Amino acid sequence: MRASPASLAFVFPTLALALFLTGCPKRPLIPTPAAPAPVAAPAPPPAPAPTPPPAAVAPAPAPAPAPAPAPAPMPVAPPAPAPTPAPPKEYVANDALKPIQFDFDKAVIRPGDAKLLDASADWLRRNPNNLLLIEGHCDQRGTAEYNLALGERRAKAAMDYLVSKGVSLDRVTIVSFGKERPLCTESTDACYARNRRDQFLTKER
């Protein structure tokens, strides 16, 4: 059966279109990249706060002027040293003044010893520049305290006698040594008698 020209005219274009569509491979669709979103420009850093003007500082008070230094004291000359007095002369034994003795446990001037004191008083009156020291002594018997008191009584007895013979009291000094300075250390009556005594020493004023 033969087709009519009119139908052919319709079929050929249809086939040609079908072939075109089936003959051309499909091309993959390439996605178009999206344009990047616009990045906002970084904000400028904030401007620094203005520095406040420095506070007004009151000026420090001026230091008080230093006081004027006191004038240096005038050097004082040290006082001249006092002249050193001559050492006092010591009392020494005087051969013109004889010792006297006493009875045991007594402080009474015996007649024989009174004559010795008369001679001593005469010498002292003729030598008024001499001072007198009377030492009272005892023998070894008895306590030290008792003999010190006894020796003092013996020295005072001789002093009173001399003063009664015209010797000035202010020239006389007494001291007691008790039994501490014996002339003899034997335990005999003769030794004891020698130790019971007054001795007389002098020195010039």
Coordinates of all heavy atoms in Angstrom, one line a residue, residues 13-65:
P13 N 9.1 14.7 8.9 CA 9.5 15.7 9.9 C 9.4 15.1 11.3 O 10.2 15.4 12.1 CB 8.6 16.9 9.7 CG 8.1 16.8 8.3 CD 8.0 15.3 8.0
T14 N 8.5 14.3 11.5 CA 8.3 13.7 12.9 C 9.5 12.8 13.2 O 10.0 12.9 14.3 CB 7.0 13.0 13.0 OG1 5.9 13.9 12.7 CG2 6.8 12.5 14.4
L15 N 9.9 12.0 12.2 CA 11.0 11.1 12.4 C 12.3 11.9 12.6 O 13.1 11.5 13.5 CB 11.1 10.1 11.2 CG 10.0 9.0 11.1 CD1 10.3 8.2 9.8 CD2 10.1 8.1 12.3
A16 N 12.4 12.9 11.8 CA 13.6 13.6 11.9 C 13.8 14.2 13.2 O 14.8 14.3 13.9 CB 13.7 14.7 10.8
L17 N 12.7 14.7 13.8 CA 12.7 15.3 15.1 C 13.0 14.2 16.1 O 13.8 14.5 17.1 CB 11.4 16.0 15.4 CG 11.2 16.7 16.8 CD1 12.3 17.7 17.0 CD2 9.9 17.3 16.9
A18 N 12.5 13.0 16.0 CA 12.7 12.0 17.0 C 14.1 11.6 16.9 O 14.8 11.4 18.0 CB 11.8 10.8 16.7
L19 N 14.7 11.4 15.7 CA 16.1 11.0 15.6 C 17.0 12.1 16.3 O 18.0 11.8 16.9 CB 16.5 10.8 14.1 CG 15.9 9.6 13.5 CD1 16.2 9.5 12.0 CD2 16.5 8.3 14.2
F20 N 16.7 13.3 16.1 CA 17.5 14.4 16.6 C 17.5 14.3 18.2 O 18.5 14.5 18.8 CB 16.9 15.7 16.1 CG 17.7 16.9 16.7 CD1 18.9 17.3 16.2 CD2 17.1 17.7 17.7 CE1 19.6 18.3 16.8 CE2 17.8 18.7 18.3 CZ 19.1 19.1 17.8
L21 N 16.3 14.0 18.6 CA 16.2 14.0 20.1 C 16.9 12.8 20.7 O 17.5 12.9 21.7 CB 14.8 14.1 20.5 CG 14.0 15.4 20.2 CD1 12.6 15.3 20.7 CD2 14.7 16.5 20.9
T22 N 16.9 11.7 20.0 CA 17.5 10.5 20.5 C 18.9 10.3 20.2 O 19.7 9.7 20.9 CB 16.7 9.2 20.1 OG1 16.8 9.2 18.6 CG2 15.3 9.2 20.6
G23 N 19.3 11.0 19.1 CA 20.7 10.8 18.6 C 21.7 11.7 19.4 O 22.8 11.4 19.5
C24 N 21.3 12.8 19.9 CA 22.2 13.7 20.6 C 22.2 13.4 22.1 O 21.2 13.4 22.8 CB 21.8 15.2 20.5 SG 21.9 15.7 18.7
P25 N 23.4 13.0 22.6 CA 23.4 12.6 24.0 C 23.2 13.8 24.9 O 23.5 14.9 24.5 CB 24.8 12.1 24.2 CG 25.7 12.7 23.1 CD 24.7 12.9 22.0
K26 N 22.6 13.5 26.0 CA 22.3 14.6 26.9 C 23.6 15.1 27.6 O 24.4 14.4 28.0 CB 21.3 14.2 28.0 CG 19.9 13.9 27.5 CD 19.0 13.5 28.6 CE 17.6 13.2 28.1 NZ 16.7 12.9 29.2
R27 N 23.8 16.4 27.6 CA 24.9 17.0 28.3 C 24.6 17.2 29.7 O 23.5 17.7 30.1 CB 25.3 18.3 27.6 CG 25.7 18.1 26.1 CD 26.0 19.4 25.5 NE 27.2 20.1 26.1 CZ 27.6 21.3 25.7 NH1 27.0 22.0 24.8 NH2 28.7 21.7 26.3
P28 N 25.5 16.8 30.6 CA 25.2 17.0 32.0 C 25.0 18.5 32.3 O 25.8 19.3 31.7 CB 26.4 16.4 32.7 CG 27.5 16.5 31.8 CD 26.9 16.3 30.4
L29 N 24.2 18.7 33.2 CA 23.9 20.1 33.6 C 25.0 20.5 34.6 O 25.2 19.9 35.6 CB 22.5 20.3 34.2 CG 21.4 20.1 33.2 CD1 20.0 20.2 34.0 CD2 21.4 21.1 32.1
I30 N 25.8 21.5 34.3 CA 26.8 22.0 35.2 C 26.2 23.1 36.0 O 25.8 24.1 35.5 CB 28.1 22.5 34.4 CG1 28.7 21.3 33.6 CG2 29.1 23.1 35.4 CD1 29.8 21.7 32.7
P31 N 26.2 22.9 37.3 CA 25.5 24.0 38.1 C 26.4 25.2 38.1 O 27.6 25.1 38.1 CB 25.4 23.4 39.5 CG 26.5 22.3 39.6 CD 26.7 21.8 38.2
T32 N 25.8 26.2 37.9 CA 26.5 27.5 37.9 C 26.7 27.9 39.3 O 25.8 28.0 40.1 CB 25.6 28.6 37.2 OG1 25.3 28.1 35.9 CG2 26.3 29.9 37.1
P33 N 28.0 28.1 39.6 CA 28.3 28.5 41.1 C 27.7 29.8 41.4 O 27.7 30.7 40.6 CB 29.9 28.6 41.1 CG 30.3 28.8 39.7 CD 29.2 28.1 38.8
A34 N 27.1 29.7 42.6 CA 26.5 31.0 43.0 C 27.5 32.0 43.4 O 28.6 31.7 43.9 CB 25.6 30.7 44.3
A35 N 27.3 33.1 43.1 CA 28.2 34.2 43.4 C 28.3 34.3 44.9 O 27.3 34.2 45.7 CB 27.7 35.6 42.9
P36 N 29.6 34.4 45.4 CA 29.7 34.5 46.9 C 29.0 35.7 47.5 O 28.9 36.8 46.8 CB 31.3 34.6 47.1 CG 31.8 35.2 45.8 CD 30.9 34.7 44.8
A37 N 28.5 35.5 48.7 CA 27.8 36.6 49.3 C 28.8 37.7 49.6 O 29.9 37.4 50.0 CB 27.1 36.1 50.6
P38 N 28.4 38.8 49.4 CA 29.3 39.9 49.7 C 29.7 40.0 51.1 O 28.9 39.8 52.0 CB 28.5 41.2 49.3 CG 27.1 40.8 49.4 CD 27.1 39.3 49.0
V39 N 31.1 40.0 51.3 CA 31.6 40.1 52.7 C 31.6 41.5 53.2 O 32.2 42.4 52.5 CB 33.0 39.5 52.8 CG1 33.6 39.6 54.2 CG2 33.0 38.0 52.3
A40 N 31.1 41.7 54.3 CA 31.0 43.1 54.8 C 32.4 43.5 55.2 O 33.2 42.7 55.8 CB 30.1 43.2 56.0
A41 N 32.8 44.6 54.9 CA 34.1 45.2 55.2 C 34.2 45.3 56.8 O 33.3 45.6 57.4 CB 34.3 46.5 54.6
P42 N 35.4 44.9 57.3 CA 35.5 45.0 58.8 C 35.3 46.4 59.3 O 35.8 47.3 58.7 CB 37.0 44.5 59.1 CG 37.7 44.7 57.8 CD 36.7 44.5 56.7
A43 N 34.6 46.4 60.4 CA 34.4 47.8 61.0 C 35.7 48.4 61.5 O 36.5 47.7 62.0 CB 33.3 47.7 62.1
P44 N 35.9 49.6 61.2 CA 37.1 50.2 61.7 C 37.1 50.2 63.2 O 36.1 50.3 63.9 CB 37.0 51.6 61.2 CG 35.6 51.9 61.0 CD 35.0 50.5 60.6
P45 N 38.4 50.0 63.8 CA 38.4 50.0 65.3 C 37.9 51.3 65.9 O 38.1 52.3 65.3 CB 39.9 49.8 65.6 CG 40.6 50.3 64.4 CD 39.7 50.0 63.2
P46 N 37.3 51.1 67.1 CA 36.8 52.4 67.6 C 37.9 53.3 68.0 O 39.0 52.9 68.4 CB 36.1 51.9 68.9 CG 36.7 50.6 69.3 CD 37.1 50.0 68.0
A47 N 37.7 54.5 67.8 CA 38.7 55.6 68.1 C 39.0 55.6 69.6 O 38.1 55.4 70.4 CB 38.2 56.9 67.6
P48 N 40.3 55.7 70.0 CA 40.6 55.7 71.4 C 39.9 56.9 72.1 O 39.8 58.0 71.5 CB 42.1 55.8 71.5 CG 42.5 56.4 70.1 CD 41.5 55.9 69.2
A49 N 39.5 56.6 73.3 CA 38.9 57.7 74.1 C 39.9 58.8 74.3 O 41.1 58.5 74.5 CB 38.3 57.2 75.4
P50 N 39.5 60.0 74.2 CA 40.4 61.1 74.4 C 41.0 61.1 75.8 O 40.3 60.8 76.7 CB 39.6 62.3 74.1 CG 38.2 61.9 74.4 CD 38.1 60.5 74.0
T51 N 42.4 61.2 75.9 CA 43.0 61.2 77.2 C 42.6 62.5 78.0 O 42.7 63.6 77.4 CB 44.6 61.3 77.0 OG1 44.9 60.1 76.2 CG2 45.3 61.2 78.4
P52 N 42.1 62.2 79.2 CA 41.7 63.4 80.0 C 42.9 64.3 80.3 O 44.0 63.8 80.5 CB 41.0 62.8 81.2 CG 41.6 61.5 81.4 CD 41.9 61.0 80.0
P53 N 42.7 65.5 80.3 CA 43.9 66.4 80.7 C 44.3 66.1 82.1 O 43.5 65.8 82.9 CB 43.3 67.8 80.5 CG 41.8 67.6 80.7 CD 41.5 66.3 80.1
P54 N 45.6 66.1 82.3 CA 46.1 65.9 83.7 C 45.5 66.8 84.7 O 45.4 68.0 84.4 CB 47.6 66.0 83.6 CG 47.8 66.9 82.4 CD 46.7 66.6 81.5
A55 N 45.2 66.2 85.9 CA 44.6 67.1 86.9 C 45.7 68.0 87.4 O 46.8 67.7 87.5 CB 44.1 66.2 88.1
A56 N 45.2 69.2 87.7 CA 46.1 70.2 88.2 C 46.7 69.8 89.5 O 45.9 69.4 90.4 CB 45.4 71.5 88.3
V57 N 48.0 69.7 89.7 CA 48.7 69.3 90.9 C 49.1 70.6 91.6 O 49.8 71.4 91.1 CB 49.9 68.4 90.6 CG1 50.6 68.1 91.9 CG2 49.5 67.2 89.9
A58 N 48.7 70.6 92.9 CA 49.1 71.8 93.7 C 50.6 71.8 93.8 O 51.2 70.7 94.1 CB 48.4 71.8 95.0
P59 N 51.3 72.9 93.7 CA 52.8 72.9 93.8 C 53.1 72.5 95.3 O 52.5 72.9 96.2 CB 53.1 74.3 93.4 CG 51.9 75.1 93.7 CD 50.8 74.2 93.3
A60 N 54.2 71.7 95.4 CA 54.6 71.3 96.8 C 55.1 72.6 97.5 O 55.8 73.4 96.9 CB 55.7 70.3 96.7
P61 N 54.8 72.6 98.8 CA 55.3 73.8 99.5 C 56.8 73.9 99.5 O 57.4 72.8 99.6 CB 54.7 73.7 100.9 CG 54.4 72.2 101.0 CD 54.1 71.7 99.7
A62 N 57.3 75.0 99.4 CA 58.8 75.2 99.4 C 59.3 74.8 100.8 O 58.7 75.1 101.8 CB 59.1 76.6 99.1
P63 N 60.4 74.0 100.8 CA 60.9 73.6 102.1 C 61.3 74.8 103.0 O 61.8 75.8 102.4 CB 62.1 72.7 101.8 CG 62.5 73.1 100.4 CD 61.2 73.5 99.7
A64 N 61.0 74.6 104.3 CA 61.4 75.7 105.2 C 62.9 75.9 105.2 O 63.7 74.9 105.1 CB 60.9 75.4 106.6
P65 N 63.4 77.1 105.2 CA 64.8 77.3 105.2 C 65.4 76.6 106.4 O 64.9 76.7 107.5 CB 65.0 78.8 105.2 CG 63.7 79.3 105.7 CD 62.6 78.3 105.3

